[in-house]
Amino acid sequence: MKFSIISFNNTSSARNGLITTDHSEIKTPVFMPIGTNGVIKTILPKELYDINTNIVLSNTYHLFLRPGHKLIAQGGGLHQFMNWDKSILTDSGGFQVYSLAKLNNISDEGVKFQSHIDGSSQFISPEISMEIQQSLGSDIIMAFDVCPAGGEDKKVIDNAVEQTNKWIKRCKSYLENNKSIYNWNQCLFPIVQGGVYPDLRIKSVNQLISYSTCGMAIGGLAVGEEKNAMFDIISMMDEILPKDQPRYLMGVGRPTDLVRSISLGIDMFDCVLPTRSGRTGLAFTWNGRINIKNSKYQYDNTPLNNKTSNFDLNKYSKNYINHLFNTNEILASMILTLHNINFYQEFMYAIRKNIEKGTFDAFHDEYIDKL
Amino acid sequence: MKFSIISFNNTSSARNGLITTDHSEIKTPVFMPIGTNGVIKTILPKELYDINTNIVLSNTYHLFLRPGHKLIAQGGGLHQFMNWDKSILTDSGGFQVYSLAKLNNISDEGVKFQSHIDGSSQFISPEISMEIQQSLGSDIIMAFDVCPAGGEDKKVIDNAVEQTNKWIKRCKSYLENNKSIYNWNQCLFPIVQGGVYPDLRIKSVNQLISYSTCGMAIGGLAVGEEKNAMFDIISMMDEILPKDQPRYLMGVGRPTDLVRSISLGIDMFDCVLPTRSGRTGLAFTWNGRINIKNSKYQYDNTPLNNKTSNFDLNKYSKNYINHLFNTNEILASMILTLHNINFYQEFMYAIRKNIEKGTFDAFHDEYIDKL
């Protein structure tokens, strides 16, 4: 994996870059749609190509439980399994074992937990997380970390930082001693923890920085803390994270969060918001967010996004999508999810264009409170 | 609408033809996927184009109840509403008021019924059915008929024939006195009734034939009667229906039924089978029907249809689709529905090719018991 910076914004830390993996070129800042089970819900891969998606995120935790990483590996890996030719980043399972599973025990060795699907006893260690992600063939492998909730005591957060530090060594060691079964590069991102505590964040960065060869992630934010506290940490991290590597802010967020984080030097994002919202009737548009189920759209023949140029999405009127939701048609979720991902991709494109043209500040001010 | 016959099979009544509407050219024999609510469930229109679909069926009854034909008309008609540029045939509502709604009363005037959605009192007459279909902009309008269940007494069937006869005159009269609001032709197909009684079928054809200017449908079959009784009637109808117009067998069916009906001179079909089966895990393949949810496909990396050439469907392995069903992913239904419609379209293409090459008999014998 390579990363190069293409242009800077003079009045903020926003920058345009290019990540090159063995599967695709990815212009940054980038938003990665989430394909938890090896599928972006309701979307065919070729539709994602049509709307300029070059990387997706999938989940170690889910694929480990169903269908199992060995099954996917015997078929040629996750790219082939899900018919996706471009890049894949996999989350390590660290976040999901805390947020989804019934947790039994965190030890130095790893995490014992009960599957949220069938209650079965399961175990993931740093080594197992690496084995799973290596078997899946992920272009970007995330370190196995401890991610406490936002409201935890400082002592708990500190312990998470220390455990994450012990585990990065084992992640790195596993990958050095076990070569990839694929003929492409698989690169490890450490995940910085430390909650909203500047001293713990600094400690975590210092512990992890020597393991960061291609990119670094900020975990443990957007997990319940105040928005301003989150941005204070991101701003502080901007000063201490390597500038020559992409910075990935995990689990964020709304378009307004993206604009603000980009001004603070973030390059990569993922969030369920555009996909999950698409299934519940919430549409992101350049004029704000709207609930397409609202009866006021029943006679509205206009499209959701008449600025879009690269897709036939603007041939679907608001009243048609409203009708599809009223009649419980799956196509409602399909069209709206596609619309929302397309909107996010066009939003990121607009940000990159504005950084390039030196007009990012005006764009930032226009959209910081809108979406 | 125009219809021309292109080639015949020497040893049966099978024939290749071409229907030309103002929206598309349709090679016959043709299978029409069903888009009940103005949407082929789980499929985007452009995906249907990709698999060579030139006509779809939609439903007067459903669109009348939701969102209402006037709403669709004010937006430019059903083609524009559902983003579908090719031909549309609409069912008249005759079948649905008997099969779906709670029926209150059939009179000479029309049918009073309770909506299956909210129990509200509704009324459709021949005139209202024509008004709805004209407002929708259907290329092919079906006559409003009385369609009794397969097991009804001969007297009931006879009454249905007589009522259908009275109503065709009113359908025709309405269309003559009310011009289309669209700049394309909208053509009326009468629907022959008569159950499994040859004398009633003959009577019905004789009553309706003068109203048949562009095509004729056979209704009241595949409604619970014996299969052989159905084919006996189709065979008899082959002798008495106009040969220079397309014959549409409503609501049929399995691929084996299609092959057999085509050998008896049928040109057009519709059925929920490929779409509904796709949502429940049943796949049609050249080797027979399979249940993709079966655990034996868990390690099967091969595609469902390795003969397909015009689509990226063969990039999805059986084990991936199996995984999608296991994880309740909507994409499972999407891929399998698309696969099944594609299979039907390729099956019809193969039939047309075999008629053209004079090898239809061999194809008929190979598939008559297989699917």
Side-chain angles (χ1 to χ4, degrees), chain A residues 37-38 41 44 47 320 329, chain B residues 38 41 44 47 320 323 329:
Chain A
N37 289 315
K41 289 188 190 300
L44 289 165
E47 298 171 284
Y320 183 60
E329 286 286 350
Chain B
K41 287 188 190 301
L44 288 165
E47 298 171 285
Y320 183 60
H323 163 69
E329 286 287 348

Side-chain angles (χ1 to χ4, degrees), chain A residues 56-71:
Chain A
V56 296
L57 180 148
S58 197
N59 284 95
T60 290
Y61 169 88
H62 292 84
L63 295 174
F64 170 62
L65 295 178
R66 285 189 307 204
H69 56 290
K70 287 175 185 165
L71 185 151

Side-chain angles (χ1 to χ4, degrees), chain A residues 330-347:
Chain A
I330 286 172
L331 199 76
S333 297
M334 292 166 58
I335 291 176
L336 210 55
T337 301
L338 201 55
H339 162 84
N340 280 344
I341 298 176
N342 185 48
F343 179 81
Y344 264 65
Q345 300 297 24
E346 295 193 347
F347 192 77

Side-chain angles (χ1 to χ4, degrees), chain B residues 240-252:
Chain B
I240 56 175
L241 287 178
K243 290 215 184 294
D244 59 349
Q245 291 180 18
R247 293 111 165 248
Y248 166 26
L249 177 61
M250 302 183 81
V252 174

Side-chain angles (χ1 to χ4, degrees), chain B residues 1-3 19 21 26 28 32 55 89-92 130 133 139-145 164 168 171 175 185-192 208 211-218 245-250 267-269:
Chain B
M1 202 195 103
K2 286 190 302 187
F3 178 63
I19 294 172
T21 74
I26 304 151
T28 63
M32 303 181 284
I55 182 167
L89 177 149
T90 41
D91 205 352
S92 64
M130 294 304 105
Q133 294 182 76
D139 298 279
I140 299 176
I141 288 174
M142 299 306 298
F144 192 65
D145 60 336
T164 297
I168 188 74
C171 291
L175 293 176
N185 185 257
Q186 301 184 264
C187 192
L188 176 70
F189 276 33
I191 303 175
V192 177
L208 300 176
Y211 299 93
S212 176
T213 59
C214 54
M216 212 156 184
I218 305 173
Q245 291 180 18
R247 293 111 165 248
Y248 166 26
L249 177 61
M250 302 183 81
D267 305 293
M268 300 169 71
F269 302 91

Side-chain angles (χ1 to χ4, degrees), chain B residues 51-309:
Chain B
I51 56 175
N52 301 314
T53 304
N54 294 305
I55 182 167
V56 297
L57 180 148
S58 196
N59 284 96
T60 289
Y61 169 88
H62 291 84
L63 295 175
F64 170 62
L65 295 178
R66 285 189 309 202
H69 56 291
K70 287 174 185 167
L71 185 152
I72 292 176
Q74 67 84 31
L78 184 57
H79 292 80
Q80 186 162 334
F81 189 59
M82 65 187 283
N83 188 21
W84 178 252
D85 294 337
K86 306 214 171 188
S87 300
I88 296 174
L89 177 149
T90 41
D91 205 352
S92 64
F95 180 71
Q96 283 76 27
V97 292
Y98 307 111
S99 62
L100 287 180
K102 191 170 166 191
L103 199 60
N104 288 329
N105 190 19
I106 307 179
S107 68
D108 216 42
E109 183 53 27
V111 181
K112 280 190 191 158
F113 62 96
Q114 282 188 300
S115 159
H116 75 293
I117 300 162
D118 61 5
S120 61
S121 289
Q122 303 286 347
F123 176 70
I124 297 184
S125 64
E127 290 80 9
I128 293 172
S129 175
M130 294 304 105
E131 181 196 338
I132 298 167
Q133 294 182 76
Q134 213 176 38
S135 301
L136 295 174
S138 322
D139 298 279
I140 299 176
I141 288 174
M142 299 306 298
F144 192 65
D145 60 336
V146 177
C147 180
E152 293 282 7
D153 285 347
K154 189 170 181 184
K155 184 66 197 153
V156 173
I157 309 276
D158 196 12
N159 287 343
V161 166
E162 293 298 341
Q163 193 67 60
T164 297
N165 179 38
K166 288 184 194 167
W167 285 354
I168 188 74
K169 300 178 206 301
R170 286 163 55 190
C171 291
K172 171 101 180 206
S173 171
Y174 182 92
L175 293 176
E176 279 174 355
N177 295 321
N178 296 273
K179 289 298 158 205
S180 170
I181 58 172
Y182 303 104
N183 61 354
W184 56 82
N185 185 257
Q186 301 184 264
C187 192
L188 176 70
F189 276 33
I191 303 175
V192 177
Q193 291 292 343
V196 293
Y197 303 100
D199 55 330
L200 297 186
R201 287 285 172 182
I202 291 169
K203 179 162 83 168
S204 187
V205 169
N206 287 337
Q207 287 172 338
L208 300 176
I209 202 159
S210 67
Y211 299 93
S212 176
T213 59
C214 54
M216 212 156 184
I218 305 173
L221 290 180
V223 289
E225 77 284 2
E226 291 285 319
K227 267 271 158 92
N228 282 335
M230 175 176 101
F231 285 111
D232 286 347
I233 290 294
I234 297 171
S235 178
M236 193 209 82
M237 300 286 284
D238 181 27
E239 304 297 318
I240 56 175
L241 287 178
K243 290 215 184 294
D244 59 349
Q245 291 180 18
R247 293 111 165 248
Y248 166 26
L249 177 61
M250 302 183 81
V252 174
R254 286 176 57 168
T256 172
D257 300 329
L258 271 49
V259 177
R260 193 161 165 193
S261 302
I262 287 165
S263 77
L264 300 172
I266 300 295
D267 305 293
M268 300 169 71
F269 302 91
D270 76 284
C271 189
V272 293
L273 201 55
T275 40
R276 184 173 292 166
S277 301
R279 299 196 298 283
T280 59
L282 187 75
F284 289 86
T285 83
W286 288 103
N287 299 316
R289 295 186 298 172
I290 67 171
N291 183 350
I292 198 66
K293 293 182 187 174
N294 191 311
S295 61
K296 75 178 173 186
Y297 298 113
Q298 238 176 339
Y299 280 86
D300 188 334
N301 296 323
T302 64
L304 282 166
N305 179 2
N306 55 18
K307 286 189 188 175
T308 192
S309 58

